[in-house]
Amino acid sequence: MKPTLCNALCAVLLLLSAPVLAAGGLSGTVVRASDKSPIPEVRVTATSPALTAPRSTVTDAQGGFRFPQLEEGVYSLRFEKESFQALIRTDITVKAGHEPRVDVALSAALQTRPPVLPPAPVDDDRERAPAWTLQHLPVLVPDGAWQTVYRASLGKPGSGVETRGFGVNPTIDTEESRVSEVPVAVDTRAYAVARDYLSRDVFPAEGAVRTEAFINSFDFGDEGEPYGPFLLYVEGFPSPSRKGYHVVRITVKAREPVREVGVQMEFNRKAVARYRLLGYEYLSPNPEPLDPGDETELFPLAAGQSVTAIHEVKVHGPSIAFGMLRVRYEQGNSSTWRRVQMMMPSSTLRSDYARASSSTRLAYVASAFAEKLRGSFWTRALDWPRLLTLWEGIGEPLRARKDVAQLGALIRKAQTLDTRKERFERLMPGGSSDFDDVPSLGN
């Protein structure tokens, strides 16, 4: 009886230890690049399609860290601590019974540049303006077909969710057009459609993705300055995907009901060389500033409703304000047009992503996710692990909100399903450090 009992106990212990033996792990040390001394309290975050949620730890007094009990898969690690440059290690393979070491050295943070660049010779900059500043921009896609990318196509898409694409907006020189118009009416069903596809392990068709639908599917709270019946919010930070540009978020939220609303941003040509509106590819081209006698398509906003838009803006000179936000509206029984306007101060351009509000970071991640799904040329420098890291950087408690947590899960799912080849690599051999460039149209 005793051998039988012993054998049974051994079998139970083996069964209990099986998950432990089947798991892997990650460990390593973090040191200073300057003198190789250990750095304690570095936050280390592990992400992987194999995880349901990111895992985090901090380094000990000797700079060591460890992630035990990791599922098999490919992982990314992000290392960050105040006063040091963040570092990412990708493509780390974890297998059962193995614990790879990842030893890294962090460099001291570079001195932060001011958000507004020093004066630059404007005339020289204009003379170097590349071909993408034209109104219509042809881009060669991998299958050999020509697709015309418009800042604004003529006419709006029909009702319902369409599967044909309108391209993505190119960048506009402010000498051509300094005004960007943002519609208040945004159909967010395109985000729900993409979410449904990804939940069924299907990568959504590029043409069915609408960037403005992704952005406006989220609630960004009640931030902003009161102007008449609205809360107006403007904030920006250096673009994580496009060197030399700032991401600028604007939100117009109704504090009380307004019957008809039109929103425009007018950029200061002395401060802004170029800009690109993310989404809204079906706008009428080259809008002019709103005047009381203008005829334009306006839409109502109920109390509490809002519209948010993201721009990429290239700042080329110092200024108190880089533009003006204008909102035209009717209210109550009055048929008189009213207008509020707010200067967009350069002080709202933060020095880095982490200094922007959590809601602004969320708005950018939503827009970047949409552009990645669309295969946008302008996000070619932003890969899926980096986008997931930016989602993690939204921070708590917002990141834990159900819809925001779901956004992170969708990004992870899209990463596993995206089998598209790099469409611009053969057009730009070796890549390009010039983020004003477009693929060569020669061949």
Side-chain angles (χ1 to χ4, degrees):
M1 295 294 293
K2 289 184 178 180
T4 303
L5 178 61
C6 181
N7 291 338
L9 290 173
C10 289
V12 170
L13 290 174
L14 284 172
L15 288 173
L16 292 175
S17 64
V20 176
L21 295 175
L26 283 172
S27 61
T29 57
V30 184
V31 299
R32 287 179 173 83
S34 56
D35 58 8
K36 308 304 178 186
S37 60
I39 310 177
E41 298 183 354
V42 176
R43 184 176 181 82
V44 187
T45 304
T47 58
S48 170
L51 296 176
T52 57
R55 289 179 56 179
S56 296
T57 187
V58 294
T59 56
D60 57 25
Q62 288 72 45
F65 70 92
R66 184 169 182 263
F67 290 99
Q69 302 301 302
L70 292 179
E71 296 290 334
E72 289 190 338
V74 179
Y75 285 76
S76 295
L77 293 179
R78 179 175 175 84
F79 304 84
E80 49 192 345
K81 184 179 181 179
E82 187 176 358
S83 302
F84 290 88
Q85 297 182 48
L87 185 66
I88 300 175
R89 287 284 184 264
T90 59
D91 299 328
I92 307 165
T93 301
V94 173
K95 296 181 178 180
H98 294 275
E99 187 171 294
R101 286 191 59 83
V102 183
D103 299 322
V104 301
L106 298 186
S107 301
L110 299 175
Q111 184 176 1
T112 303
R113 293 184 177 181
V116 178
L117 301 178
V122 177
D123 290 338
D124 290 345
D125 188 57
R126 301 292 183 194
E127 289 174 3
R128 292 187 288 106
W132 52 257
T133 57
L134 298 177
Q135 181 69 23
H136 303 290
L137 175 67
V139 175
L140 185 63
V141 294
D143 59 7
W146 286 92
Q147 175 187 3
T148 302
V149 178
Y150 295 93
R151 172 180 178 269
S153 64
L154 300 178
K156 296 188 175 181
S159 61
V161 178
E162 298 192 56
T163 56
R164 66 186 184 93
F166 285 82
V168 292
N169 290 330
T171 308
I172 304 299
D173 193 309
T174 52
E175 289 295 334
E176 282 193 1
S177 173
R178 69 187 186 280
V179 177
S180 179
E181 186 177 87
V182 178
V184 170
V186 177
D187 188 343
T188 59
R189 286 177 294 175
Y191 179 67
V193 170
R195 188 176 58 210
D196 178 65
Y197 274 115
L198 290 169
S199 69
R200 293 186 283 111
D201 294 336
V202 178
F203 198 83
E206 293 179 0
V209 176
R210 296 284 178 268
T211 303
E212 68 275 13
F214 280 52
I215 299 170
N216 286 281
S217 292
F218 295 90
D219 180 6
F220 301 113
D222 294 323
E223 297 171 313
E225 297 293 329
Y227 281 80
F230 304 103
L231 286 174
L232 306 183
Y233 191 84
V234 177
E235 189 177 34
F237 55 88
S239 171
S241 63
R242 198 172 180 192
K243 186 176 179 180
Y245 285 76
H246 278 72
V247 172
V248 176
R249 163 215 169 182
I250 69 154
T251 297
V252 176
K253 186 166 189 174
R255 304 161 64 199
E256 50 193 85
V258 283
R259 280 210 319 271
E260 298 187 16
V261 184
V263 179
Q264 285 186 341
M265 296 176 68
E266 182 176 1
F267 294 106
N268 176 3
R269 285 172 173 158
K270 293 182 179 179
V272 175
R274 304 175 180 95
Y275 67 91
R276 184 173 80 94
L277 174 62
L278 278 63
Y280 303 100
E281 282 84 16
Y282 47 80
L283 301 183
S284 59
N286 293 331
E288 292 300 324
L290 288 170
D291 290 321
D294 286 349
E295 291 186 6
T296 185
E297 189 164 9
L298 308 178
F299 298 90
L301 273 183
Q305 286 187 326
S306 65
V307 61
T308 295
I310 299 288
H311 288 75
E312 291 175 337
V313 174
K314 186 168 188 177
V315 179
H316 72 109
S319 63
I320 296 174
F322 64 92
M324 181 78 72
L325 173 60
R326 294 190 176 93
V327 184
R328 179 186 174 199
Y329 66 99
E330 282 185 356
Q331 190 175 25
N333 296 323
S334 173
S335 60
T336 302
W337 289 109
R338 303 178 184 182
R339 183 169 72 177
V340 297
Q341 61 184 32
M342 181 183 79
M343 298 287 288
M344 298 187 291
S346 297
S347 60
T348 60
L349 301 179
R350 314 304 181 199
S351 58
D352 57 49
Y353 176 77
R355 294 181 183 273
S357 68
S358 293
S359 58
T360 295
R361 283 176 264 167
L362 169 59
Y364 171 72
V365 170
S367 69
F369 180 39
E371 290 236 312
K372 282 292 293 178
L373 291 176
R374 296 195 67 169
S376 169
F377 171 78
W378 308 104
T379 58
R380 66 193 187 279
L382 184 66
D383 59 16
W384 289 112
R386 176 61 175 155
L387 179 58
L388 188 58
T389 298
L390 292 171
W391 172 83
E392 293 164 359
I394 291 172
E396 303 294 352
L398 184 57
R399 192 179 65 189
R401 201 175 74 187
K402 184 177 179 180
D403 58 338
V404 182
Q406 185 183 54
L407 175 63
L410 293 175
I411 293 173
R412 285 190 288 270
K413 178 61 71 67
Q415 179 181 2
T416 64
L417 296 176
D418 190 0
T419 58
R420 297 171 298 180
K421 295 182 179 179
E422 173 53 60
R423 67 184 62 187
F424 301 111
E425 181 62 30
R426 68 182 181 86
L427 303 175
M428 305 173 65
S432 172
S433 61
D434 186 348
F435 283 79
D436 288 339
D437 267 352
V438 295
S440 170
L441 305 178
N443 295 310

